[in-house]
Amino acid sequence: MIDYLNLERITAMHGEEIAQAVQRVVGSGWYLRGEATRKFEQEYAQYIGTQHCVGVGNGLDALTLILRGYMELGRLRGGDEVIVPANTYIASILSITECGLVPVLVEPRESTLQLNDALIEDALSERTRALMIVHLYGRCAMTPAIESLCRRHQLLLIEDNAQAHGCRYGHRHTGSLGHAAGHSFYPGKNLGALGDAGAVTTDDEQLADVVRALANYGSSKKYVFSFKGRNSRLDEIQAAVLSVKLKYLDDDNEQRKALARYYLDNIRNQQEISLPDDASADCVFHIFPVLSAHRDRLQAYLEAHGVKTMIHYPIPPHRQKCYAEWAHLSLPVTEFIHAHELSLPCNQAMTKKEAEQIVGLLNDFKL
């Protein structure tokens, strides 16, 4: 059996170091807002290329706290509109609606599965104040057109970097391209903790201070509350684990890229399987997506031959019950992607032999 993602194997790659890091925290007697968190925040800010990193509880909180922070600073107000890709994971959208802001869904390109920058201008209104780009699947969503548009319209540019740790745009890492970025360290991510964890990165010191206070019940001084905050803090054990794994992130991403390169070069069954445009130079392949008109049959075929796959994601946000007010929307590119996408195993714990087996099965697939 080839697992889609074997976290036990991934953790074991650095298991001794991780165990030692956890034991140091356990033995320290200090489990929140301590040295391990400060260390990781400094290391991750340096890696991403920003002045500030604030560790928080998870990726959804990271995005929500950025938006809340801008509201507390007066740069966003309830009812303001935020452009967001229509095919994103629902967390991106939840962060917007949780703050009383209005998501405006914009279609992706089928060839890249990323936000179609040619459609953004038409989605703007007098209430548009921000654009949230999402580096889906580990592929950079930033484009020169997006940079120009944000400057011309004075939009806040927020990055959802949950799937793209280590991804680059030119010489810069994603997570440093906009005004602020939210990061998830969910265990299955390229940089994954052993539980929920997240972070905000930014060069804006004022925003960083507000986010840190909001994540600590609204307090920057013990028992003094400047904001109506929440409890969303990166704990010391997860921070220590992330510091270990951060050292190996680039090497792990190179292994993902090598597997993705093998897929791109050797999957030849174009009749049944469509590959995304080649972005292997900068993409970190959190997910390797293919499209198939017979996606469910392809998934069942691979399962029957011992290969686990996943679907990212079977139901688009505008078709979810929690957003029933969007049921009337027609977003054909998004709907096509969600009906055809299948994610192949692609991670640093896989072997070349496993990739060869998967490619052979894909090339042999026929209806």
Side-chain angles (χ1 to χ4, degrees), residues 113-153:
L113 313 183
Q114 302 298 315
L115 181 66
N116 187 341
D117 55 16
L119 302 179
I120 298 173
E121 194 96 40
D122 288 341
L124 299 178
S125 79
E126 68 278 0
R127 298 302 304 272
T128 307
R129 296 290 180 271
L131 168 60
M132 182 182 289
I133 58 173
V134 185
H135 305 297
L136 281 165
Y137 311 123
R139 181 173 183 150
C140 183
M142 179 65 110
T143 68
I146 287 174
E147 290 185 280
S148 174
L149 182 142
C150 288
R151 283 195 301 269
R152 284 186 286 111
H153 295 278

Side-chain angles (χ1 to χ4, degrees), residues 5-295:
L5 181 66
N6 189 319
L7 291 177
E8 184 178 1
R9 280 169 64 178
I10 287 176
T11 303
M13 292 171 69
H14 312 297
E16 185 174 342
E17 275 189 83
I18 289 171
Q20 291 173 355
V22 170
Q23 187 54 51
R24 282 195 294 273
V25 173
V26 172
S28 75
W30 195 284
Y31 308 124
L32 279 172
R33 306 185 77 199
E35 184 55 37
T37 299
R38 285 190 290 273
K39 178 175 181 289
F40 173 72
E41 288 176 340
Q42 292 168 0
E43 292 168 343
Y44 195 62
Q46 182 176 10
Y47 177 85
I48 291 294
T50 57
Q51 293 297 311
H52 306 282
C53 171
V54 181
V56 299
N58 55 70
L60 172 57
D61 281 0
L63 293 172
T64 305
L65 288 163
I66 290 169
L67 296 171
R68 273 286 315 276
Y70 281 129
M71 295 181 82
E72 295 292 350
L73 292 170
R75 298 193 64 184
L76 290 173
R77 291 178 172 81
D80 284 348
E81 294 177 354
V82 181
I83 302 289
V84 65
N87 64 318
T88 187
Y89 181 58
I90 203 166
S92 313
I93 295 167
L94 287 171
S95 70
I96 298 168
T97 56
E98 184 175 332
C99 292
L101 302 167
V102 179
V104 177
L105 307 182
V106 172
E107 290 260 65
R109 283 191 170 91
E110 185 183 326
S111 59
T112 65
L113 313 183
Q114 302 298 315
L115 181 66
N116 187 341
D117 55 16
L119 302 179
I120 298 173
E121 194 96 40
D122 288 341
L124 299 178
S125 79
E126 68 278 0
R127 298 302 304 272
T128 307
R129 296 290 180 271
L131 168 60
M132 182 182 289
I133 58 173
V134 185
H135 305 297
L136 281 165
Y137 311 123
R139 181 173 183 150
C140 183
M142 179 65 110
T143 68
I146 287 174
E147 290 185 280
S148 174
L149 182 142
C150 288
R151 283 195 301 269
R152 284 186 286 111
H153 295 278
Q154 297 183 315
L155 300 179
L156 291 169
L157 179 59
I158 299 164
E159 297 174 78
D160 181 340
N161 200 52
Q163 299 185 10
H165 312 124
C167 182
R168 288 185 177 274
Y169 177 66
H171 298 295
R172 293 183 290 165
H173 278 123
T174 56
S176 70
L177 309 178
H179 294 92
H183 307 254
S184 167
F185 306 121
Y186 180 78
K189 300 301 170 83
N190 291 39
L191 179 60
L194 300 186
D196 274 323
V200 171
T201 55
T202 184
D203 284 328
D204 185 333
E205 182 175 8
Q206 193 175 19
L207 177 67
D209 289 344
V210 172
V211 166
R212 192 177 297 280
L214 285 169
N216 187 40
Y217 298 98
S219 171
S220 53
K221 181 179 179 182
K222 196 173 181 68
Y223 302 135
V224 177
F225 303 93
S226 303
F227 311 103
K228 297 175 183 176
R230 65 202 304 163
N231 178 8
S232 181
R233 299 174 296 204
L234 177 63
D235 75 65
E236 289 286 278
I237 287 178
Q238 301 304 341
V241 169
L242 289 166
S243 281
V244 171
K245 297 181 77 173
L246 180 60
K247 295 186 295 183
Y248 302 101
L249 176 59
D250 287 341
D251 288 342
D252 289 346
N253 283 341
E254 287 303 315
Q255 290 178 261
R256 288 175 177 264
K257 290 181 183 182
L259 289 169
R261 181 76 265 158
Y262 183 80
Y263 284 151
L264 290 166
D265 290 343
N266 292 282
I267 296 173
R268 299 190 177 91
N269 188 356
Q270 302 299 318
Q271 185 174 348
E272 301 294 345
I273 298 162
S274 296
L275 299 172
D277 284 358
D278 186 357
S280 54
D282 296 316
C283 184
V284 292
F285 294 100
H286 171 60
I287 292 166
F288 189 95
V290 299
L291 301 178
S292 175
H294 308 287
R295 187 262 311 281

